[in-house]
Amino acid sequence: MNKAAGVKIIRLVKRRADLTLAQFRDYWLTRHALHEQHAMATTPLQRVVASIATGEVALGGTVPPFDGMVALYFRSLEDARATLSGPETAAMREDAKNFLDPRTSPQIFADEYLVSEKEDASGTVRRSGQLKTIRTISRRRDLTHAQFKDYWLNQHSKLEREVIETTSMQRIIASFALPGTRWFRTSTALQSSTSRRSRTYARCSRDPFRG
């Protein structure tokens, strides 16, 4: 079990109603990405990963719950807060209105854990275009956040490691909301599972700044 250094902000987004999924994806990865690159060059923002829905609906749903997810990585919570409220990212925040629906963008401050991965995952999981599933999860009401996190990392993770060993799934990452930070809606954790072949609603795990 490896905990990633620093913190990240996870934001789940829906596209503007007047955009197709293809238009949404194109705007994000070509035009909005320029603002993200500028933010990385001028602020403590370390890394940006965008995951964009395939249009498929997973787990028996009828409508995808979101069209994309962005993860913004920082060395500290203080860096994250200062960056996203500072003038250097004002243009990036304003540009988001050109392709995102601001009414449906829950976000959490989170820490990240690599739960398990195949031995050759670093060579087989692509930096861009990799298929993955994303799940938002709320804890049982009778559990505290600490109990929920402890059970997942020390008990449930054993089953996830077994899945890695016995299926085509390549990697499982769990992210947990940081207690005491402002977050929206009810998600207290997010699971990302990377697979070679899977029906999923998040296909493009894209890190446009690291190859």
Side-chain angles (χ1 to χ4, degrees), residues 101-170:
D101 181 351
R103 300 168 299 176
T104 55
S105 298
Q107 68 180 25
I108 59 173
F109 293 88
D111 53 11
E112 177 181 289
Y113 292 80
L114 174 59
V115 177
S116 186
E117 65 178 357
K118 291 193 183 300
E119 291 184 1
D120 62 347
S122 60
T124 59
V125 175
R126 302 187 300 274
R127 291 186 183 273
S128 181
Q130 180 68 49
L131 189 69
K132 69 180 178 182
T133 60
I134 297 170
R135 297 178 63 201
T136 57
I137 299 166
S138 297
R139 69 181 185 270
R140 262 179 23 194
R141 293 185 178 182
D142 59 322
L143 297 178
T144 65
H145 180 82
Q147 291 170 328
F148 165 77
K149 183 175 181 179
D150 180 73
Y151 187 90
W152 189 332
L153 295 180
N154 293 295
Q155 300 299 325
H156 186 67
S157 62
K158 298 174 184 177
L159 299 175
E160 293 177 319
R161 286 194 288 272
E162 184 177 327
V163 169
I164 291 290
E165 293 172 359
T166 59
T167 72
S168 63
M169 192 173 294
Q170 300 293 297

Side-chain angles (χ1 to χ4, degrees), residues 41-110:
T42 58
T43 75
L45 177 60
Q46 300 294 301
R47 185 183 180 202
V48 180
V49 177
S51 300
I52 300 176
T54 62
E56 298 173 275
V57 180
L59 303 178
T62 58
V63 178
F66 56 89
D67 295 308
M69 183 192 82
V70 62
L72 309 174
Y73 291 77
F74 298 87
R75 288 196 174 97
S76 69
L77 184 59
E78 292 73 22
D79 280 351
R81 285 173 164 159
T83 297
L84 292 190
S85 62
E88 296 88 352
T89 56
M92 183 176 74
R93 298 194 302 270
E94 184 65 23
D95 184 66
K97 300 175 184 178
N98 291 325
F99 70 111
L100 301 183
D101 181 351
R103 300 168 299 176
T104 55
S105 298
Q107 68 180 25
I108 59 173
F109 293 88

Side-chain angles (χ1 to χ4, degrees), residues 195-210:
S195 177
R196 287 179 177 168
R197 295 178 300 276
S198 175
R199 285 187 60 81
T200 178
Y201 50 75
R203 179 174 183 78
C204 180
S205 173
R206 179 178 174 85
D207 185 351
F209 318 115
R210 300 188 62 182

